[in-house]
Amino acid sequence: IIMGTIMTMSSSNWLMTWIGLELNMLAILPIISKPKTTRASEATIKYFLTQAIASAMMLLSSTTNAWQTGSWDILELKNKFSTTIMTLSLMMKMGAAPIHFWLPEVLQGTTLQTALLITTWQKLAPISLMYMISNNIQPALLMSAGILSMIVGGLGGINQTQLRKTMAYSSINNLGWTIMIMALSPNLAVMNIFIYMIMTTPIFLMMTSTSTKTLQNLTTTWTTSTATTLSIALLMLSTSGLPPFTGFLPKMLALNELITQKLTTLATLAIMTSLVSLLFYLRVTYLIMVLTSPM
């Protein structure tokens, strides 16, 4: 898995990049199917099919571009059709809306450690590729996908009781911010996704250590491990982008960039969607802090 990601991130050629992504995908399949349950097998097949379709789209895009321009170089992706197909395939690999359908289901079918791997490490390669071709992608495509991911991530997480599905929709929501700002400031987009990964990792690790998988579990862990449960609550609030937590910084910088570029309507829409996602983060925090703490 590590080798595949490093190969993809260090290549300048579409073919080597594709091989790296394939190596990465084939390596993670046995890890997803490790729990011997029908749900894990289902998650493995769903992950394989979506990643295989995305890889095929990627190959189509790079081949079409090589046919038109005569170059396999990543930075030479000049063909408009190729760029659009490539962007969609990378979004599919990351699990961004509107091609997000596989992510909540796959996370729900695997262990917490594998869910952590899929929501953090597995996003590095597609994000780095999107960063490399960001100058050639139409900004309208990135911004539309970004806003859609934020809406889907916010609304999808509201009615969830399973924490892995909640974290999947949280991932989609944060990917929305990353993709939207990628059109204007790729460096800021990379900072946003790294801060998200730094906040998500301890959430999953603490959920693993306390064997917490549902909201109901979370309300009962207060008595056994108070500090851990409190940390999960605060990290959830940070992920939502609530000030004065760390997660607020990339969102504030992203909104500042949008307003500087005279995209006030888009900035307003982004704020409204982040309020929707704040709702389910607050619900988790409320369950932990208010319902379980001793009076």
Side-chain angles (χ1 to χ4, degrees):
I1 290 171
I2 293 168
M3 230 185 108
T5 304
I6 291 170
M7 191 190 282
T8 302
M9 290 170 76
S10 57
S11 297
S12 61
N13 181 295
W14 279 121
L15 215 53
M16 285 305 290
T17 300
W18 179 78
I19 291 167
L21 284 168
E22 287 300 290
L23 179 67
N24 176 276
M25 177 191 75
L26 292 171
I28 201 171
L29 292 176
I31 296 175
I32 299 172
S33 63
K34 191 169 174 273
K36 297 290 178 277
T37 59
T38 48
R39 182 160 271 210
S41 307
E42 187 188 324
T44 311
I45 292 164
K46 280 178 181 171
Y47 186 83
F48 171 71
L49 289 174
T50 46
Q51 297 296 315
I53 293 164
S55 293
M57 285 167 68
M58 200 175 166
L59 208 54
L60 168 71
S61 166
S62 50
T63 311
T64 309
N65 187 67
W67 181 40
Q68 293 280 329
T69 62
S71 171
W72 284 93
D73 198 287
I74 288 177
L75 301 174
E76 293 297 315
L77 195 72
K78 299 281 191 280
N79 187 306
K80 214 169 188 178
F81 169 78
S82 297
T83 312
T84 308
I85 296 292
M86 184 61 74
T87 309
L88 289 171
S89 77
L90 292 175
M91 279 159 52
M92 194 171 188
K93 280 199 168 290
M94 285 187 274
I99 326 164
H100 66 281
F101 49 84
W102 61 272
L103 188 63
E105 297 303 319
V106 169
L107 289 202
Q108 188 54 35
T110 59
T111 60
L112 286 165
Q113 294 97 319
T114 314
L116 168 63
L117 195 64
I118 293 168
T119 50
T120 53
W121 183 265
Q122 291 300 90
K123 287 189 174 37
L124 288 177
I127 285 282
S128 64
L129 287 174
M130 195 176 267
Y131 177 83
M132 283 190 243
I133 64 167
S134 58
N135 290 336
N136 302 328
I137 309 171
Q138 299 96 311
L141 175 65
L142 286 176
M143 286 176 186
S144 308
I147 285 290
L148 189 61
S149 294
M150 286 152 73
I151 294 168
V152 167
L155 293 174
I158 288 174
N159 64 343
Q160 298 300 334
T161 54
Q162 296 286 335
L163 284 174
R164 277 169 296 183
K165 277 195 174 180
T166 305
M167 292 307 292
Y169 283 108
S170 161
S171 171
I172 294 164
N173 180 48
N174 275 280
L175 266 178
W177 282 90
T178 305
I179 291 168
M180 180 185 69
I181 209 64
M182 186 74 80
L184 304 173
S185 173
N187 291 336
L188 185 55
V190 170
M191 187 189 90
N192 181 64
I193 200 73
F194 270 111
I195 287 178
Y196 166 72
M197 286 176 187
I198 290 164
M199 290 184 300
T200 305
T201 308
I203 293 177
F204 271 111
L205 292 176
M206 284 188 277
M207 277 161 54
T208 308
S209 69
T210 54
S211 302
T212 307
K213 289 177 183 170
T214 63
L215 282 177
Q216 195 176 2
N217 293 155
L218 207 56
T219 57
T220 55
T221 51
W222 179 273
T223 49
T224 51
S225 45
T226 312
T228 306
T229 320
L230 192 63
S231 300
I232 291 174
L234 293 175
L235 281 163
M236 284 273 191
L237 286 178
S238 183
T239 315
S240 72
L242 193 73
F245 298 105
T246 317
F248 172 64
L249 179 70
K251 286 190 169 65
M252 185 188 72
L253 292 171
L255 291 171
N256 182 48
E257 187 66 36
L258 287 171
I259 293 161
T260 308
Q261 300 285 349
K262 304 277 189 293
L263 295 164
T264 321
T265 314
L266 198 65
T268 311
L269 204 56
I271 293 167
M272 299 307 280
T273 53
S274 68
L275 280 175
V276 176
S277 65
L278 181 65
L279 193 64
F280 70 80
Y281 289 114
L282 278 175
R283 193 169 118 231
V284 175
T285 316
Y286 174 79
L287 280 170
I288 296 169
M289 310 279 270
V290 181
L291 298 184
T292 58
S293 58
M295 292 299 173

